[in-house]
mmCIF file of all heavy atoms in Angstrom:
data_model
loop_
_atom_site.group_PDB
_atom_site.id
_atom_site.type_symbol
_atom_site.label_atom_id
_atom_site.label_comp_id
_atom_site.label_asym_id
_atom_site.label_seq_id
_atom_site.Cartn_x
_atom_site.Cartn_y
_atom_site.Cartn_z
ATOM 1 N N VAL H 93 39.929 125.639 104.992
ATOM 2 C CA VAL H 93 40.160 126.748 105.930
ATOM 3 C C VAL H 93 41.622 126.718 106.351
ATOM 4 O O VAL H 93 42.080 125.747 106.967
ATOM 5 C CB VAL H 93 39.256 126.633 107.176
ATOM 6 C CG1 VAL H 93 39.579 127.757 108.166
ATOM 7 C CG2 VAL H 93 37.792 126.703 106.769
ATOM 8 N N LEU H 94 42.353 127.763 106.017
ATOM 9 C CA LEU H 94 43.775 127.842 106.335
ATOM 10 C C LEU H 94 43.997 128.850 107.456
ATOM 11 O O LEU H 94 43.548 129.999 107.377
ATOM 12 C CB LEU H 94 44.580 128.252 105.093
ATOM 13 C CG LEU H 94 44.525 127.269 103.912
ATOM 14 C CD1 LEU H 94 45.291 127.829 102.727
ATOM 15 C CD2 LEU H 94 45.060 125.897 104.308
ATOM 16 N N LEU H 95 44.674 128.415 108.495
ATOM 17 C CA LEU H 95 45.008 129.263 109.632
ATOM 18 C C LEU H 95 46.445 129.723 109.438
ATOM 19 O O LEU H 95 47.364 128.909 109.435
ATOM 20 C CB LEU H 95 44.836 128.481 110.937
ATOM 21 C CG LEU H 95 43.465 127.796 111.094
ATOM 22 C CD1 LEU H 95 43.410 126.987 112.378
ATOM 23 C CD2 LEU H 95 42.336 128.817 111.053
ATOM 24 N N ASN H 96 46.618 131.016 109.269
ATOM 25 C CA ASN H 96 47.874 131.559 108.766
ATOM 26 C C ASN H 96 48.587 132.403 109.807
ATOM 27 O O ASN H 96 47.960 133.223 110.495
ATOM 28 C CB ASN H 96 47.587 132.421 107.526
ATOM 29 C CG ASN H 96 48.831 132.714 106.718
ATOM 30 O OD1 ASN H 96 49.612 131.811 106.435
ATOM 31 N ND2 ASN H 96 49.024 133.969 106.361
ATOM 32 N N LEU H 97 49.908 132.222 109.940
ATOM 33 C CA LEU H 97 50.713 133.014 110.871
ATOM 34 C C LEU H 97 51.064 134.348 110.218
ATOM 35 O O LEU H 97 51.754 134.400 109.206
ATOM 36 C CB LEU H 97 51.984 132.264 111.256
ATOM 37 C CG LEU H 97 52.870 132.942 112.317
ATOM 38 C CD1 LEU H 97 52.115 133.086 113.630
ATOM 39 C CD2 LEU H 97 54.148 132.136 112.523
ATOM 40 N N SER H 98 50.610 135.427 110.840
ATOM 41 C CA SER H 98 50.828 136.775 110.317
ATOM 42 C C SER H 98 52.139 137.341 110.846
ATOM 43 O O SER H 98 52.531 137.068 111.979
ATOM 44 C CB SER H 98 49.667 137.685 110.736
ATOM 45 O OG SER H 98 50.001 139.046 110.566
ATOM 46 N N PRO H 99 52.831 138.179 110.047
ATOM 47 C CA PRO H 99 54.094 138.769 110.500
ATOM 48 C C PRO H 99 53.920 139.999 111.380
ATOM 49 O O PRO H 99 54.882 140.474 111.963
ATOM 50 C CB PRO H 99 54.788 139.147 109.182
ATOM 51 C CG PRO H 99 53.668 139.464 108.263
ATOM 52 C CD PRO H 99 52.563 138.495 108.634
ATOM 53 N N TYR H 100 52.708 140.531 111.496
ATOM 54 C CA TYR H 100 52.511 141.775 112.225
ATOM 55 C C TYR H 100 52.834 141.619 113.706
ATOM 56 O O TYR H 100 52.433 140.662 114.355
ATOM 57 C CB TYR H 100 51.069 142.263 112.064
ATOM 58 C CG TYR H 100 50.735 142.636 110.640
ATOM 59 C CD1 TYR H 100 49.854 141.867 109.891
ATOM 60 C CD2 TYR H 100 51.332 143.737 110.035
ATOM 61 C CE1 TYR H 100 49.563 142.177 108.581
ATOM 62 C CE2 TYR H 100 51.044 144.061 108.719
ATOM 63 C CZ TYR H 100 50.158 143.284 107.999
ATOM 64 O OH TYR H 100 49.880 143.597 106.698
ATOM 65 N N GLY H 101 53.591 142.592 114.226
ATOM 66 C CA GLY H 101 53.944 142.588 115.634
ATOM 67 C C GLY H 101 55.055 141.640 115.985
ATOM 68 O O GLY H 101 55.366 141.429 117.157
ATOM 69 N N ARG H 102 55.685 141.045 114.969
ATOM 70 C CA ARG H 102 56.757 140.092 115.212
ATOM 71 C C ARG H 102 58.065 140.661 114.669
ATOM 72 O O ARG H 102 58.081 141.431 113.722
ATOM 73 C CB ARG H 102 56.462 138.751 114.524
ATOM 74 C CG ARG H 102 55.158 138.136 114.969
ATOM 75 C CD ARG H 102 54.765 136.973 114.076
ATOM 76 N NE ARG H 102 55.751 135.909 114.112
ATOM 77 C CZ ARG H 102 55.767 134.945 115.009
ATOM 78 N NH1 ARG H 102 54.864 134.913 115.957
ATOM 79 N NH2 ARG H 102 56.684 133.995 114.973
ATOM 80 N N ALA H 103 59.184 140.295 115.278
ATOM 81 C CA ALA H 103 60.492 140.781 114.828
ATOM 82 C C ALA H 103 60.851 140.124 113.506
ATOM 83 O O ALA H 103 60.825 138.907 113.382
ATOM 84 C CB ALA H 103 61.562 140.466 115.870
ATOM 85 N N GLN H 104 61.187 140.941 112.523
ATOM 86 C CA GLN H 104 61.557 140.386 111.223
ATOM 87 C C GLN H 104 63.056 140.086 111.181
ATOM 88 O O GLN H 104 63.837 140.764 110.526
ATOM 89 C CB GLN H 104 61.160 141.375 110.120
ATOM 90 C CG GLN H 104 59.661 141.595 110.049
ATOM 91 C CD GLN H 104 58.899 140.281 109.897
ATOM 92 O OE1 GLN H 104 59.066 139.566 108.927
ATOM 93 N NE2 GLN H 104 58.056 139.954 110.867
ATOM 94 N N VAL H 105 63.452 139.074 111.932
ATOM 95 C CA VAL H 105 64.866 138.696 111.988
ATOM 96 C C VAL H 105 65.206 137.626 110.954
ATOM 97 O O VAL H 105 66.346 137.278 110.769
ATOM 98 C CB VAL H 105 65.236 138.189 113.401
ATOM 99 C CG1 VAL H 105 65.030 139.293 114.426
ATOM 100 C CG2 VAL H 105 64.402 136.961 113.773
ATOM 101 N N ALA H 106 64.179 137.110 110.298
ATOM 102 C CA ALA H 106 64.387 136.116 109.256
ATOM 103 C C ALA H 106 63.176 136.176 108.332
ATOM 104 O O ALA H 106 62.140 136.745 108.678
ATOM 105 C CB ALA H 106 64.526 134.714 109.860
ATOM 106 N N GLU H 107 63.316 135.586 107.155
ATOM 107 C CA GLU H 107 62.198 135.587 106.220
ATOM 108 C C GLU H 107 60.984 134.922 106.857
ATOM 109 O O GLU H 107 61.073 133.863 107.471
ATOM 110 C CB GLU H 107 62.591 134.842 104.939
ATOM 111 C CG GLU H 107 61.469 134.782 103.903
ATOM 112 C CD GLU H 107 61.829 133.893 102.729
ATOM 113 O OE1 GLU H 107 62.976 133.423 102.681
ATOM 114 O OE2 GLU H 107 60.958 133.665 101.877
ATOM 115 N N HIS H 108 59.831 135.574 106.704
ATOM 116 C CA HIS H 108 58.612 135.043 107.290
ATOM 117 C C HIS H 108 58.046 133.927 106.419
ATOM 118 O O HIS H 108 57.992 134.036 105.195
ATOM 119 C CB HIS H 108 57.583 136.170 107.437
ATOM 120 C CG HIS H 108 56.305 135.715 108.051
ATOM 121 N ND1 HIS H 108 56.204 135.368 109.388
ATOM 122 C CD2 HIS H 108 55.070 135.525 107.518
ATOM 123 C CE1 HIS H 108 54.969 134.999 109.643
ATOM 124 N NE2 HIS H 108 54.256 135.084 108.534
ATOM 125 N N VAL H 109 57.624 132.845 107.042
ATOM 126 C CA VAL H 109 57.043 131.714 106.321
ATOM 127 C C VAL H 109 55.557 131.642 106.649
ATOM 128 O O VAL H 109 55.175 131.470 107.808
ATOM 129 C CB VAL H 109 57.737 130.390 106.700
ATOM 130 C CG1 VAL H 109 57.073 129.223 105.966
ATOM 131 C CG2 VAL H 109 59.221 130.450 106.370
ATOM 132 N N ASP H 110 54.719 131.797 105.622
ATOM 133 C CA ASP H 110 53.279 131.627 105.789
ATOM 134 C C ASP H 110 52.791 130.647 104.725
ATOM 135 O O ASP H 110 53.583 130.028 104.005
ATOM 136 C CB ASP H 110 52.555 132.976 105.699
ATOM 137 C CG ASP H 110 52.845 133.711 104.394
ATOM 138 O OD1 ASP H 110 53.368 133.067 103.452
ATOM 139 O OD2 ASP H 110 52.550 134.907 104.310
ATOM 140 N N TRP H 111 51.474 130.498 104.609
ATOM 141 C CA TRP H 111 50.937 129.538 103.641
ATOM 142 C C TRP H 111 51.355 129.885 102.221
ATOM 143 O O TRP H 111 51.626 129.005 101.411
ATOM 144 C CB TRP H 111 49.414 129.493 103.745
ATOM 145 C CG TRP H 111 48.891 128.567 104.794
ATOM 146 C CD1 TRP H 111 48.231 128.906 105.933
ATOM 147 C CD2 TRP H 111 48.972 127.138 104.792
ATOM 148 N NE1 TRP H 111 47.896 127.779 106.648
ATOM 149 C CE2 TRP H 111 48.337 126.676 105.968
ATOM 150 C CE3 TRP H 111 49.524 126.201 103.921
ATOM 151 C CZ2 TRP H 111 48.234 125.332 106.282
ATOM 152 C CZ3 TRP H 111 49.424 124.844 104.225
ATOM 153 C CH2 TRP H 111 48.787 124.420 105.401
ATOM 154 N N ASN H 112 51.384 131.167 101.902
ATOM 155 C CA ASN H 112 51.753 131.583 100.550
ATOM 156 C C ASN H 112 53.171 131.131 100.214
ATOM 157 O O ASN H 112 53.436 130.602 99.125
ATOM 158 C CB ASN H 112 51.633 133.102 100.435
ATOM 159 C CG ASN H 112 51.376 133.550 99.015
ATOM 160 O OD1 ASN H 112 50.923 132.770 98.186
ATOM 161 N ND2 ASN H 112 51.663 134.801 98.735
ATOM 162 N N VAL H 113 54.093 131.349 101.163
ATOM 163 C CA VAL H 113 55.488 130.933 100.958
ATOM 164 C C VAL H 113 55.581 129.411 100.879
ATOM 165 O O VAL H 113 56.271 128.857 99.996
ATOM 166 C CB VAL H 113 56.378 131.480 102.095
ATOM 167 C CG1 VAL H 113 57.784 130.905 101.996
ATOM 168 C CG2 VAL H 113 56.418 133.006 102.069
ATOM 169 N N TRP H 114 54.905 128.725 101.777
ATOM 170 C CA TRP H 114 54.995 127.259 101.819
ATOM 171 C C TRP H 114 54.466 126.637 100.528
ATOM 172 O O TRP H 114 55.122 125.762 99.928
ATOM 173 C CB TRP H 114 54.219 126.720 103.025
ATOM 174 C CG TRP H 114 54.507 125.283 103.335
ATOM 175 C CD1 TRP H 114 55.512 124.777 104.100
ATOM 176 C CD2 TRP H 114 53.774 124.146 102.835
ATOM 177 N NE1 TRP H 114 55.454 123.404 104.123
ATOM 178 C CE2 TRP H 114 54.393 122.976 103.361
ATOM 179 C CE3 TRP H 114 52.653 123.995 102.012
ATOM 180 C CZ2 TRP H 114 53.938 121.697 103.084
ATOM 181 C CZ3 TRP H 114 52.205 122.714 101.726
ATOM 182 C CH2 TRP H 114 52.839 121.586 102.257
ATOM 183 N N PHE H 115 53.298 127.076 100.052
ATOM 184 C CA PHE H 115 52.730 126.530 98.829
ATOM 185 C C PHE H 115 53.610 126.814 97.605
ATOM 186 O O PHE H 115 53.633 126.031 96.654
ATOM 187 C CB PHE H 115 51.330 127.107 98.593
ATOM 188 C CG PHE H 115 50.225 126.324 99.248
ATOM 189 C CD1 PHE H 115 49.348 126.942 100.126
ATOM 190 C CD2 PHE H 115 50.053 124.971 98.974
ATOM 191 C CE1 PHE H 115 48.320 126.229 100.719
ATOM 192 C CE2 PHE H 115 49.026 124.247 99.574
ATOM 193 C CZ PHE H 115 48.158 124.874 100.451
ATOM 194 N N SER H 116 54.339 127.936 97.646
ATOM 195 C CA SER H 116 55.157 128.305 96.487
ATOM 196 C C SER H 116 56.243 127.265 96.197
ATOM 197 O O SER H 116 56.685 127.138 95.047
ATOM 198 C CB SER H 116 55.802 129.679 96.706
ATOM 199 O OG SER H 116 56.797 129.630 97.717
ATOM 200 N N PHE H 117 56.666 126.506 97.196
ATOM 201 C CA PHE H 117 57.680 125.468 96.982
ATOM 202 C C PHE H 117 57.133 124.297 96.170
ATOM 203 O O PHE H 117 57.898 123.487 95.651
ATOM 204 C CB PHE H 117 58.223 124.974 98.325
ATOM 205 C CG PHE H 117 59.200 125.907 98.965
ATOM 206 C CD1 PHE H 117 58.785 126.840 99.885
ATOM 207 C CD2 PHE H 117 60.544 125.877 98.623
ATOM 208 C CE1 PHE H 117 59.676 127.724 100.475
ATOM 209 C CE2 PHE H 117 61.448 126.748 99.197
ATOM 210 C CZ PHE H 117 61.019 127.671 100.123
ATOM 211 N N PHE H 118 55.798 124.246 96.059
ATOM 212 C CA PHE H 118 55.183 123.165 95.290
ATOM 213 C C PHE H 118 54.448 123.713 94.068
ATOM 214 O O PHE H 118 53.574 123.056 93.505
ATOM 215 C CB PHE H 118 54.232 122.379 96.198
ATOM 216 C CG PHE H 118 54.896 121.860 97.439
ATOM 217 C CD1 PHE H 118 54.798 122.575 98.640
ATOM 218 C CD2 PHE H 118 55.671 120.710 97.417
ATOM 219 C CE1 PHE H 118 55.434 122.122 99.787
ATOM 220 C CE2 PHE H 118 56.308 120.257 98.562
ATOM 221 C CZ PHE H 118 56.198 120.966 99.755
ATOM 222 N N ASN H 119 54.814 124.963 93.703
ATOM 223 C CA ASN H 119 54.256 125.627 92.514
ATOM 224 C C ASN H 119 52.740 125.722 92.560
ATOM 225 O O ASN H 119 52.049 125.553 91.539
ATOM 226 C CB ASN H 119 54.701 124.892 91.235
ATOM 227 C CG ASN H 119 56.206 124.892 91.060
ATOM 228 O OD1 ASN H 119 56.854 125.919 91.238
ATOM 229 N ND2 ASN H 119 56.768 123.732 90.727
ATOM 230 N N ILE H 120 52.238 125.991 93.753
ATOM 231 C CA ILE H 120 50.799 126.187 93.926
ATOM 232 C C ILE H 120 50.561 127.627 94.345
ATOM 233 O O ILE H 120 51.163 128.108 95.313
ATOM 234 C CB ILE H 120 50.229 125.208 94.970
ATOM 235 C CG1 ILE H 120 50.292 123.779 94.424
ATOM 236 C CG2 ILE H 120 48.798 125.579 95.343
ATOM 237 C CD1 ILE H 120 49.753 122.738 95.368
ATOM 238 N N ASN H 121 49.688 128.315 93.600
ATOM 239 C CA ASN H 121 49.393 129.722 93.855
ATOM 240 C C ASN H 121 48.191 129.830 94.778
ATOM 241 O O ASN H 121 47.075 129.437 94.417
ATOM 242 C CB ASN H 121 49.118 130.445 92.535
ATOM 243 C CG ASN H 121 49.066 131.960 92.718
ATOM 244 O OD1 ASN H 121 48.877 132.454 93.819
ATOM 245 N ND2 ASN H 121 49.225 132.687 91.623
ATOM 246 N N LEU H 122 48.406 130.353 95.958
ATOM 247 C CA LEU H 122 47.326 130.467 96.935
ATOM 248 C C LEU H 122 46.251 131.440 96.480
ATOM 249 O O LEU H 122 45.078 131.313 96.861
ATOM 250 C CB LEU H 122 47.903 130.916 98.286
ATOM 251 C CG LEU H 122 46.970 130.841 99.499
ATOM 252 C CD1 LEU H 122 46.491 129.415 99.720
ATOM 253 C CD2 LEU H 122 47.688 131.355 100.747
ATOM 254 N N GLU H 123 46.611 132.399 95.631
ATOM 255 C CA GLU H 123 45.646 133.392 95.175
ATOM 256 C C GLU H 123 44.607 132.792 94.229
ATOM 257 O O GLU H 123 43.596 133.429 93.937
ATOM 258 C CB GLU H 123 46.379 134.545 94.490
ATOM 259 C CG GLU H 123 47.274 135.342 95.430
ATOM 260 C CD GLU H 123 47.990 136.476 94.731
ATOM 261 O OE1 GLU H 123 47.796 136.620 93.499
ATOM 262 O OE2 GLU H 123 48.732 137.213 95.413
ATOM 263 N N LYS H 124 44.838 131.575 93.758
ATOM 264 C CA LYS H 124 43.899 130.927 92.848
ATOM 265 C C LYS H 124 42.879 130.066 93.597
ATOM 266 O O LYS H 124 42.226 129.206 92.999
ATOM 267 C CB LYS H 124 44.655 130.079 91.822
ATOM 268 C CG LYS H 124 45.487 130.914 90.854
ATOM 269 C CD LYS H 124 46.137 130.042 89.790
ATOM 270 C CE LYS H 124 46.932 130.896 88.798
ATOM 271 N NZ LYS H 124 47.582 130.057 87.749
ATOM 272 N N ARG H 125 42.772 130.300 94.894
ATOM 273 C CA ARG H 125 41.742 129.584 95.663
ATOM 274 C C ARG H 125 40.359 129.871 95.091
ATOM 275 O O ARG H 125 40.047 131.000 94.708
ATOM 276 C CB ARG H 125 41.780 130.024 97.133
ATOM 277 C CG ARG H 125 42.805 129.284 97.967
ATOM 278 C CD ARG H 125 43.094 130.009 99.271
ATOM 279 N NE ARG H 125 41.928 130.286 100.082
ATOM 280 C CZ ARG H 125 41.535 129.544 101.124
ATOM 281 N NH1 ARG H 125 42.201 128.452 101.436
ATOM 282 N NH2 ARG H 125 40.509 129.898 101.840
ATOM 283 N N SER H 126 39.516 128.845 95.090
ATOM 284 C CA SER H 126 38.153 129.030 94.597
ATOM 285 C C SER H 126 37.360 129.892 95.572
ATOM 286 O O SER H 126 37.504 129.749 96.793
ATOM 287 C CB SER H 126 37.457 127.677 94.437
ATOM 288 O OG SER H 126 38.183 126.845 93.557
ATOM 289 N N PRO H 127 36.510 130.802 95.065
ATOM 290 C CA PRO H 127 35.675 131.591 95.967
ATOM 291 C C PRO H 127 34.682 130.677 96.679
ATOM 292 O O PRO H 127 34.145 129.735 96.101
ATOM 293 C CB PRO H 127 34.969 132.577 95.028
ATOM 294 C CG PRO H 127 34.982 131.912 93.693
ATOM 295 C CD PRO H 127 36.262 131.122 93.644
ATOM 296 N N GLY H 128 34.448 130.943 97.936
ATOM 297 C CA GLY H 128 33.532 130.102 98.704
ATOM 298 C C GLY H 128 33.605 130.449 100.171
ATOM 299 O O GLY H 128 34.046 131.533 100.552
ATOM 300 N N ASP H 129 33.177 129.521 101.017
ATOM 301 C CA ASP H 129 33.110 129.800 102.448
ATOM 302 C C ASP H 129 34.358 129.345 103.207
ATOM 303 O O ASP H 129 34.400 129.404 104.430
ATOM 304 C CB ASP H 129 31.874 129.138 103.063
ATOM 305 C CG ASP H 129 31.889 127.616 102.885
ATOM 306 O OD1 ASP H 129 32.787 127.118 102.187
ATOM 307 O OD2 ASP H 129 30.997 126.955 103.450
ATOM 308 N N LYS H 130 35.367 128.869 102.490
ATOM 309 C CA LYS H 130 36.593 128.423 103.147
ATOM 310 C C LYS H 130 37.548 129.613 103.281
ATOM 311 O O LYS H 130 38.219 129.998 102.330
ATOM 312 C CB LYS H 130 37.247 127.288 102.350
ATOM 313 C CG LYS H 130 36.356 126.061 102.162
ATOM 314 C CD LYS H 130 35.949 125.436 103.483
ATOM 315 C CE LYS H 130 35.155 124.155 103.245
ATOM 316 N NZ LYS H 130 34.706 123.532 104.517
#
């Protein structure tokens, strides 16, 4: 279960960092998560 910081309603004064961005630094694609209850 990943709790993710959303950019909505926030000032875009810098690149937004969320789980997708963070995982990309380790060459892990968040979209390939297994289907399930997580």
Side-chain angles (χ1 to χ4, degrees):
V93 177
L94 297 177
L95 308 177
N96 196 47
L97 184 62
S98 164
Y100 295 111
R102 302 168 61 86
Q104 297 305 298
V105 298
E107 179 187 354
H108 181 71
V109 178
D110 56 15
W111 275 113
N112 206 20
V113 172
W114 193 86
F115 272 124
S116 69
F117 283 94
F118 305 97
N119 299 315
I120 292 180
N121 191 340
L122 191 59
E123 295 180 359
K124 293 184 178 180
R125 276 163 55 98
S126 302
D129 60 353
K130 301 300 184 182

